[in-house]
Amino acid sequence: MRYKLTVAYVGKNFKGWQSQKDVRTAQDELEKGLSQLFGEKVVVNAAGRTDEGVSAIAQTVHFDNDKEMTPFSLIQAVNFLLPEDLSVVDARIVDKSFHSRKSAKRKTYVYRLYVSPYRHAVYDTFATQIYKMPDVELMKKVAQSLIGEHDFVAFSSTGSSAKTTVRTIESIDVNLNGNLMEIAICGNSFLYNMVRIIVGTLIWIGLGKLPCDTIDKMLATGNRKLGAKTFPAIGLRLESIEY
Amino acid sequence: MRYKLTVAYVGKNFKGWQSQKDVRTAQDELEKGLSQLFGEKVVVNAAGRTDEGVSAIAQTVHFDNDKEMTPFSLIQAVNFLLPEDLSVVDARIVDKSFHSRKSAKRKTYVYRLYVSPYRHAVYDTFATQIYKMPDVELMKKVAQSLIGEHDFVAFSSTGSSAKTTVRTIESIDVNLNGNLMEIAICGNSFLYNMVRIIVGTLIWIGLGKLPCDTIDKMLATGNRKLGAKTFPAIGLRLESIEY
């Protein structure tokens, strides 16, 4: 049987998704629970990694196992074994042709920010603070340059193992509700730190800390240094993956 | 000088708002920070208590102190002294006639829920799980009986010290977004556990676990036992207070 699971976890409690020695990662916790449930070592294949501190409500994995369980029983049982800050929210039995990464059509990440000169005890649990209100209309306008297929090398951190830095962004939506802002970015796949660099650069343009043509120049030159710093992990959440 | 402060805190980390011996409360933490800042014991008057586990982004307090500080300096300094899970988000110097509780015109609480047969590691940090989708249109309809001035004794837990159980509810809004639900209740003031009993009763009616006329009967008879159990604190947040 090939199982497809959708997984949620609280990013700030993990050193990222991917299995690592001597630190707590979401993959390790999930595999520990599944291995206990199936009575043998289970290794999962994920749609992608999330970095240290990044949350997810739609991380997707697949794995094969001979034992047949109904999705309902599997989720109930594994959630009992998993820690509080990680849970399986959906399960399906899928065809052997399904692959969590290769079959993914698009992913949506949402980055959350709040605007205030002061820190906020509640918002700090899921959003990044910015001190002044940026020009949201300008952000929306310059974001349009990112839509489509581009070489996003200027929007990636070194250390990426990707073969190509060409990616396709389908949409970027900026929503402001009071002093809370959500930036939703939908694309086929993302480079290392790509969403956090895009968000930072949009915000800095909106604040007038970077020129309006920064994004066009970054795309044209591939120069990472023209952009903003990589914004903090706390605001970022993997929101959905479509297959 | 009379100072008015707006305070945010993460409910699950506190044994409620009100000062108590030997347990961690939001009031004690705030007063500790303010006392350190002003160099003398500061006692604050709050708009109201919040119960153990209930969050706030708009708890409001006032206190008097001879030292004059600008709101900006006060907030920056006290937030440095306060713990991570509590912060001051606004400060004003107000007239002596201002009183955090007596001057309040209306308060809005929002209760958050998610619908799923399975627990959710991320949503569990701020919302209450319900297992099946209730009839939201029915909930909206029966909620209308609560609008206006009523004796809400059937919607309060024993142990309330209120002189009268008559309160006015101005509006109840139920919003569903995917499997996340928000119930916003706006009124002049609230009895002990009132919001959590209203929410529970609306949900149980929506699920068909209680008859449609439950709210009318509760208002008519004052019988708490006709309603649902008090729903968990985790979903509740004090969202705003208007003066």
Side-chain angles (χ1 to χ4, degrees), chain A residues 79 82-84 86-87 119 121, chain B residues 79 82-84 86-87 119 121:
Chain A
N79 279 352
L82 291 171
E84 197 177 282
L86 187 146
S87 71
R119 74 175 177 88
Chain B
N79 279 351
L82 291 171
E84 196 178 284
L86 187 146
S87 71
R119 74 176 177 87

Side-chain angles (χ1 to χ4, degrees), chain B residues 48-68:
Chain B
R49 308 172 189 181
T50 55
D51 297 336
E52 179 178 350
V54 176
S55 289
I57 60 172
Q59 172 67 293
T60 304
V61 305
H62 77 265
F63 63 95
D64 295 331
N65 197 286
D66 291 339
K67 292 202 189 84
E68 188 170 348

Side-chain angles (χ1 to χ4, degrees), chain A residues 26-235:
Chain A
Q27 183 183 357
D28 285 329
E29 289 289 356
L30 177 63
E31 290 179 349
K32 214 191 296 174
L34 289 170
S35 300
Q36 208 177 330
L37 178 63
F38 283 93
E40 61 182 303
K41 177 86 183 147
V42 173
V43 177
V44 300
N45 285 277
R49 306 172 191 182
T50 55
D51 295 337
E52 179 176 351
V54 176
S55 290
I57 60 172
Q59 173 65 295
T60 305
V61 306
H62 77 265
F63 64 95
D64 295 330
N65 197 285
D66 291 337
K67 290 201 189 85
E68 190 170 346
M69 293 187 74
T70 66
F72 184 83
S73 308
L74 188 159
I75 301 177
Q76 293 288 5
V78 79
N79 279 352
F80 182 79
L81 299 168
L82 291 171
E84 197 177 282
D85 50 10
L86 187 146
S87 71
V88 174
V89 299
D90 192 47
R92 307 278 167 100
I93 292 166
V94 290
D95 192 82
K96 282 279 183 189
S97 62
F98 176 86
H99 189 286
S100 57
R101 182 171 50 77
K102 293 176 192 163
S103 309
K105 287 208 186 92
R106 58 183 69 84
K107 295 180 187 174
T108 302
Y109 281 92
V110 174
Y111 197 97
R112 293 177 171 81
L113 307 115
Y114 70 96
V115 185
S116 171
Y118 316 114
R119 74 175 177 88
H120 192 296
V122 173
Y123 297 161
D124 279 338
T125 63
F126 64 85
T128 294
Q129 179 185 9
I130 54 174
Y131 299 86
K132 288 183 179 169
M133 184 61 76
D135 182 338
V136 175
E137 291 311 311
L138 179 60
M139 287 171 61
K140 287 180 186 177
K141 197 180 144 206
V142 298
Q144 293 315 304
S145 296
L146 295 162
I147 308 299
E149 187 181 84
H150 300 283
D151 183 342
F152 285 98
V153 66
F155 296 89
S156 72
S157 292
T158 50
S160 175
S161 58
K163 282 174 213 140
T164 164
T165 47
V166 174
R167 294 289 185 277
T168 301
I169 291 184
E170 294 189 15
S171 65
I172 301 182
D173 292 305
V174 183
N175 272 295
L176 186 68
N177 184 2
N179 68 336
L180 280 173
M181 191 185 297
E182 290 191 354
I183 302 177
I185 306 188
C186 175
N188 62 343
S189 87
F190 294 89
L191 300 167
Y192 186 48
N193 282 342
M194 179 168 150
V195 176
R196 291 155 63 187
I197 297 169
I198 288 175
V199 167
T201 303
L202 288 174
I203 293 288
W204 281 21
I205 292 170
L207 290 169
K209 291 172 74 171
L210 285 175
C212 298
D213 61 354
T214 299
I215 286 169
D216 293 329
K217 284 205 172 138
M218 289 173 78
L219 289 172
T221 64
N223 187 355
R224 166 73 186 89
K225 287 177 185 156
L226 297 176
K229 66 164 189 173
T230 302
F231 261 35
I234 187 71

Side-chain angles (χ1 to χ4, degrees), chain B residues 5-9 11 14-20 23-31 34 43-54 56 59-62 86 100 238:
Chain B
L5 305 185
T6 310
V7 182
Y9 46 90
F14 296 95
K15 288 272 177 190
W17 165 259
Q18 185 156 39
S19 186
Q20 279 183 70
V23 295
R24 187 168 188 260
T25 72
Q27 183 184 357
D28 286 329
E29 289 290 356
L30 177 64
E31 290 179 350
L34 288 169
V43 176
V44 300
N45 286 277
R49 308 172 189 181
T50 55
D51 297 336
E52 179 178 350
V54 176
Q59 172 67 293
T60 304
V61 305
H62 77 265
L86 187 146
S100 57
L238 173 54

